[in-house]
């Protein structure tokens, strides 16, 4: 089952529509409306940026593989669909998620090392008692119903790089876009193969520069039209074509002839673009202050 996404717990239990995900989160806030009103928080995407930056900082100190960091981000996102964030110490949850992810991704770290490095980074939020992280690990596992295997888009990207004749810089850019998608709800909304192909599409066609992103937000639906046009009139380019236009034509042709959900790709594209749009509003100082406010006030740092 671990090798088959379609039969995995990820697809069966951790795949949401936007409506169901919004309803789940709204239910959590309704159950703790007093806390929500008392302790305001930034936009969820800005919080995700903050959590990512903190995880990366911790990961560099240990250090760990990129896939372990990605798995930790998925664990955090899943956990906070079950538990209202203001009921937790996010710093302890980040350290715990990374500790657990390292186990699952076969690059385990000693619990004392993780606690020591986390305490060095966040001394006002992490205590030296390793049992706290151990208890939090069981809490995290329980809330995720022991469903810990995560399928990532990286494998699909590596499998397609030769099929689509991608240059090294295009693979690197696609990889970076996949890294960025963990800052959004995309991992909870779309299958890994759709995410990977969307990242390739952005890297080959639109490129996440300012001009490219503006074009993407205005013309993402053109992808569906292009795919339909290819079905009506075959394009002769082969993957061996090295020109940018040839690669674009071949990608569209490949999408049209395959079984990729084009509508899901369009939605995924827009979701990633919205992250880049909101990134300019990010303030690490604001996020840290607002998190510290409820952690300290509620004694969650003890």
């Amino acid at each position: 089952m671990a090798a088959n996404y379609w039969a995995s717990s990820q697809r069966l239990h951790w795949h949401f529509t936007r409506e169901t995900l919004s309803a789940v989160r709204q239910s959590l806030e309704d159950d703790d409306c007093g806390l929500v009103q008392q302790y305001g928080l930034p936009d969820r995407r800005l919080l995700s940026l903050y959590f990512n930056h903190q995880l990366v900082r911790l990961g560099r100190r240990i250090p760990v593989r990129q896939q372990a960091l990605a798995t930790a981000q998925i664990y955090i996102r899943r956990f906070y669909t079950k538990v209202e964030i203001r009921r937790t110490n996010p710093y302890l949850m980040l350290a715990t998620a990374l500790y657990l992810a390292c186990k699952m991704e076969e690059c385990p770290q000693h619990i004392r090392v993780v606690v020591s490095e986390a305490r060095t980074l966040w001394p006002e939020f992490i205590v030296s008692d390793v049992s706290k992280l151990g208890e939090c690990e069981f809490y995290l596992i329980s809330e995720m119903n022991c469903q810990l295997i995560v399928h990532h888009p990286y494998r699909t990207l590596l499998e397609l790089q030769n099929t689509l004749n991608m240059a090294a810089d295009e693979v690197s850019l696609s990889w970076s876009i996949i890294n960025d998608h963990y800052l959004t709800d995309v991992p909870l909304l779309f299958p890994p193969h759709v995410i990977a192909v969307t990242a390739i599409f952005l890297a080959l066609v639109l490129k996440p520069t300012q001009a490219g992103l503006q074009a993407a937000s205005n013309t993402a639906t053109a992808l569906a039209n292009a795919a339909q046009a290819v079905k009506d009139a075959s394009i002769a380019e082969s993957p061996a074509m090295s020109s940018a236009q040839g690669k674009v034509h071949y990608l569209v042709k490949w999408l049209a002839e395959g079984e990729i959900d084009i509508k899901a790709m369009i939605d995924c594209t827009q979701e990633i673009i919205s992250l880049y749009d909101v990134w300019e509003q990010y303030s690490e100082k604001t996020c840290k202050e607002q998190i510290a406010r409820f952690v300290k006030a509620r004694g969650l740092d003890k």
Side-chain angles (χ1 to χ4, degrees), residues 256-275:
E257 294 175 348
E259 298 181 356
I260 300 293
D261 186 339
I262 301 296
K263 183 181 184 302
M265 277 190 63
I266 294 170
D267 292 342
C268 188
T269 299
Q270 297 289 7
E271 193 76 24
I272 294 173
I273 289 169
S274 72
L275 167 69

Side-chain angles (χ1 to χ4, degrees), residues 4-238:
N4 183 2
Y5 166 77
W6 301 105
S8 69
S9 61
Q10 180 171 339
R11 177 177 177 268
L12 297 176
H13 303 288
W14 296 104
H15 183 81
F16 302 85
T17 64
R18 279 193 177 86
E19 293 73 22
T20 56
L21 184 58
S22 177
V24 165
R25 288 170 171 165
Q26 187 60 52
S27 176
L28 289 177
E29 293 190 358
D30 291 345
D31 290 343
D32 285 305
C33 56
L35 282 177
V36 172
Q37 292 174 1
Q38 187 174 2
Y39 303 108
L41 288 174
D43 182 285
R44 191 175 300 276
R45 290 168 297 181
L46 299 178
L47 273 182
S48 293
L49 280 168
Y50 181 74
F51 289 161
N52 174 69
H53 290 166
Q54 300 310 307
L55 269 177
V56 169
R57 290 177 65 201
L58 181 58
R60 285 174 178 167
R61 296 185 67 91
I62 295 178
V64 299
R65 296 181 353 219
Q66 173 62 43
Q67 187 153 311
L69 283 171
T71 297
Q73 288 174 291
I74 295 291
Y75 287 170
I76 288 293
R77 197 163 290 277
R78 289 180 178 182
F79 178 78
Y80 284 128
T81 66
K82 296 282 191 175
V83 180
E84 220 297 311
I85 186 173
R86 297 165 182 85
R87 288 191 168 275
T88 69
N89 176 347
Y91 297 97
L92 181 57
M93 293 310 309
L94 289 173
T96 304
L98 186 58
Y99 173 65
L100 180 58
C102 286
K103 287 183 180 181
M104 294 304 299
E105 297 299 340
E106 300 181 352
C107 53
Q109 301 292 329
H110 197 286
I111 189 170
R112 293 189 182 278
V113 172
V114 176
V115 171
S116 175
E117 296 298 345
R119 182 164 171 74
T120 300
L121 280 179
W122 315 305
E124 66 271 44
F125 301 109
I126 300 290
V127 297
S128 57
D129 184 359
V130 296
S131 68
K132 295 291 184 181
L133 192 145
E135 293 170 5
C136 194
E137 181 186 14
F138 282 107
Y139 184 26
L140 178 61
I141 292 171
S142 175
E143 291 298 336
M144 292 195 297
N145 300 316
C146 300
Q147 295 158 352
L148 305 179
I149 295 175
V150 177
H151 295 258
H152 293 283
Y154 300 113
R155 178 182 294 182
T156 302
L157 170 61
L158 296 177
E159 289 174 349
L160 290 179
Q161 61 178 332
N162 292 329
T163 301
L164 299 176
N165 195 36
M166 297 174 67
D169 62 325
E170 293 163 342
V171 174
S172 178
L173 182 53
S174 300
W175 191 283
S176 296
I177 295 170
I178 288 175
N179 290 346
D180 289 346
H181 99 279
Y182 291 105
L183 310 180
T184 72
D185 288 331
V186 166
L188 300 180
L189 299 174
F190 305 103
H193 70 280
V194 170
I195 297 166
V197 175
T198 299
I200 293 170
F201 170 68
L202 285 168
L204 290 181
V205 183
L206 303 174
K207 305 234 173 149
T209 60
Q210 191 58 44
L213 288 174
Q214 184 60 43
S217 70
N218 293 332
T219 65
T221 53
L223 177 63
N225 296 333
Q228 184 59 47
V230 171
K231 291 179 180 179
D232 297 336
S234 178
I235 293 177
E237 284 81 353
S238 72

